[in-house]
Amino acid sequence: KVSSKEGNNNRFSGSGGIGTILSKITLETPVLKKKGSVLFSGRRSYADIFLPLSKDEDVKYNRTYFYDAYLKANYRANEKNQFFLSGYLGRDVFKYKNEYYVTWGNITGSFRWNRLFSSRLFSNLSVIYSQYDYRLGQVADIRGVEWNAGIADLRIKYDFTYYANPSTTIRFGATSSYKKFKPGYIIAASDSSIFNDFKIPESQTLEHAVYISNEHKINARLFIAYGLRASLFQNVGGATIYQFDDNFVKVDSAVYAPGEFFNSYWGLEPRLSIKYLLTGTSSLKASYNRTMQFIHLVSNSTTGTPIDIWLPSNPNIKPQKADQVALGYVKSFEKPSIEVTIETYYKTLTNQIDYKDHADIVLNPEMEGELRFGTAKAYGVELMATRTTGALRGLISYSLSKAEKDFHLKMLEESEQSKEDRWHQFSLMVSYDL
């Protein structure tokens, strides 16, 4: 679990640093008679300041930097109510000789109300907004053009935790979100540009879910956690949906009015995990879970890039599903203080997305005809040893894993290596406290 830092409620304080790549600053202060606090943190790199000093024109006229800023405020109204407000913005910028540029970034904001109903029941009500966008441009006169794309999300969720007794913790809640997808549009950068404005239609979706889970201590040795999540996904107009035949050739289209609900998917996502203590220093654990994904990443690269495209499920694209089972063994050693874990897993995936050979996915309003769908599986074994006490700390891990996919409608009708496949992975992290 990752949590953002809260400001100092007792006194004003600050910290910062100046480095060869970036500088950063953090300021925090109490507010409202020390019932609340405000924290601000920011960073900026400054390679763009030094590049003009180069004598190499291929370097001198480039600009490359990033910045981000974070603000968080909290206020404790009384012993039972606390409020949080936070915001973040960040951006990366790269310009080449004032001819080409690419920039991408995120903006997020959230409000959270933490309510303590009793010593056993508390809740968190959250409203969250996030937006990601990127822009690419060419500033030459007759070829001047800018390409914009992005995705925005507005979400509300209400989560409850109930401590029924020392052996039982129940969590339940609901969430609902609205997403707007902007696959891309280009704009002529000047009147003399040879390009015309072009826009791929935007799309909108709603996604809802309710869930409940229970963490139960059966006895001194046996722990079990189980839960169920029910999800509902809806496409909302206006939209134009193309229809394709079995060979993915466009044969028709359907137009839906703004605000019209024209497609939906729903599903159940169960989860189960069991832990059994063999001795005071060793245990067995097993788990099963199903997950559904209604938003899909379309990328022609094995690594993430700023121009990746996000698409929602629709009548042509079904939600992705994954089922995973895992079995593990954990052993702790007192001298030296080391914990060793070995775990094996097997995962099946359906409605996976790939592309036909030589697919055209850039600014293509009929891109769904370029996609192909199939199944995948992943399995392997992972070993890890960790030490978290003493002067010498760290971890060492090794995994032997395989990921395969099967897309029968591609040119080669056979299983092939997935881009997520990593046969051998080895990690080592060590620190020594002087």
Side-chain angles (χ1 to χ4, degrees), residues 153-376:
D153 178 282
L154 177 62
R155 179 183 302 268
I156 182 170
K157 63 176 185 175
Y158 207 1
D159 301 307
F160 293 84
T161 300
Y162 177 59
Y163 298 99
N165 54 58
S167 300
T168 305
T169 301
I170 300 173
R171 306 179 195 276
F172 58 96
T175 180
S176 184
S177 69
Y178 164 80
K179 291 184 176 65
K180 188 170 186 177
F181 298 81
K182 303 175 182 179
Y185 62 92
I186 60 175
I187 303 172
S190 65
D191 294 337
S192 59
S193 175
I194 60 175
F195 293 98
N196 296 320
D197 293 354
F198 175 77
K199 183 177 183 180
I200 297 180
E202 299 175 352
S203 57
Q204 305 173 87
T205 66
L206 291 173
E207 188 175 337
H208 320 278
V210 294
Y211 74 92
I212 185 169
S213 68
N214 184 23
E215 299 172 10
H216 192 187
K217 180 181 178 181
I218 305 298
N219 53 45
R221 290 181 177 270
L222 182 60
F223 303 82
I224 184 171
Y226 50 90
L228 182 65
R229 175 185 172 96
S231 302
L232 172 65
F233 175 87
Q234 299 171 300
N235 292 105
V236 185
T240 299
I241 300 297
Y242 297 100
Q243 299 169 6
F244 301 89
D245 62 16
D246 293 339
N247 295 317
F248 293 89
V249 177
K250 185 181 73 173
V251 295
D252 203 351
S253 63
V255 179
Y256 299 96
E260 181 180 357
F261 292 81
F262 62 88
N263 180 65
S264 63
Y265 294 105
W266 76 279
L268 298 177
E269 301 170 69
R271 289 95 190 270
L272 171 66
S273 66
I274 301 172
K275 180 179 179 180
Y276 183 75
L277 298 180
L278 299 172
T279 67
T281 59
S282 62
S283 62
L284 287 174
K285 58 181 181 177
S287 66
Y288 163 78
N289 68 78
R290 164 173 283 189
T291 54
M292 298 182 65
Q293 180 174 315
F294 300 103
I295 310 303
H296 315 281
L297 177 65
V298 178
S299 171
N300 59 2
S301 172
T302 56
T303 58
T305 68
I307 58 173
D308 288 339
I309 299 171
W310 294 93
L311 286 179
S313 296
N314 61 30
N316 294 317
I317 306 176
K318 295 180 179 180
Q320 299 184 60
K321 294 182 181 179
D323 291 272
Q324 176 172 294
V325 294
L327 179 66
Y329 172 76
V330 181
K331 173 67 176 178
S332 298
F333 298 90
E334 184 176 351
K335 293 182 180 181
S337 178
I338 295 177
E339 182 178 88
V340 177
T341 303
I342 179 171
E343 187 166 5
T344 182
Y345 66 93
Y346 187 87
K347 187 175 187 178
T348 61
L349 305 99
T350 59
N351 302 327
Q352 299 299 288
I353 293 180
D354 206 331
Y355 321 98
K356 74 173 187 180
D357 296 319
H358 314 295
D360 178 16
I361 65 172
V362 177
L363 291 175
N364 183 359
E366 302 173 14
M367 182 173 57
E368 293 160 17
E370 308 288 297
L371 304 180
R372 299 296 182 264
F373 306 94
T375 60

Side-chain angles (χ1 to χ4, degrees), residues 70-142:
Y70 173 73
L71 179 70
K72 182 175 184 178
N74 72 85
Y75 173 69
R76 183 179 294 277
N78 49 51
E79 293 183 355
K80 294 187 175 181
N81 295 278
Q82 190 170 7
F83 302 90
F84 302 86
L85 186 66
S86 63
Y88 168 87
L89 66 88
R91 195 142 206 99
D92 290 69
V93 179
F94 173 75
K95 297 181 179 179
Y96 175 72
K97 289 186 174 181
N98 291 323
E99 296 179 9
Y100 309 96
Y101 64 88
V102 55
T103 172
W104 65 94
N106 293 279
I107 298 175
T108 68
S110 67
F111 167 80
R112 180 165 63 92
W113 171 31
N114 177 259
R115 167 70 172 171
L116 182 65
F117 292 94
S118 68
S119 59
R120 293 186 176 185
L121 177 66
F122 73 90
S123 69
N124 278 295
L125 175 64
S126 304
V127 180
I128 306 162
Y129 174 81
S130 65
Q131 175 183 297
Y132 169 75
D133 72 277
Y134 62 83
R135 298 192 296 271
L136 295 86
Q138 182 169 300
V139 297
D141 289 340
I142 63 171

Side-chain angles (χ1 to χ4, degrees), residues 383-385 394-399 424-430:
L383 300 95
M384 181 168 66
L395 69 83
I396 181 171
S397 69
Y398 168 74
S399 66
H424 298 282
Q425 289 191 90
F426 178 80
S427 297
L428 173 66
M429 292 190 297
V430 177

Side-chain angles (χ1 to χ4, degrees), residues 349 352-355 374-378 402-408 410 412-421:
L349 305 99
Q352 299 299 288
I353 293 180
D354 206 331
Y355 321 98
T375 60
K377 60 183 178 181
K402 190 67 178 173
E404 299 174 347
K405 56 184 179 180
D406 191 2
F407 289 79
H408 296 293
K410 294 196 73 174
L412 296 177
E413 297 186 2
E414 59 184 16
S415 294
E416 57 182 313
Q417 184 182 21
S418 169
K419 70 177 183 180
E420 290 82 16
D421 185 65

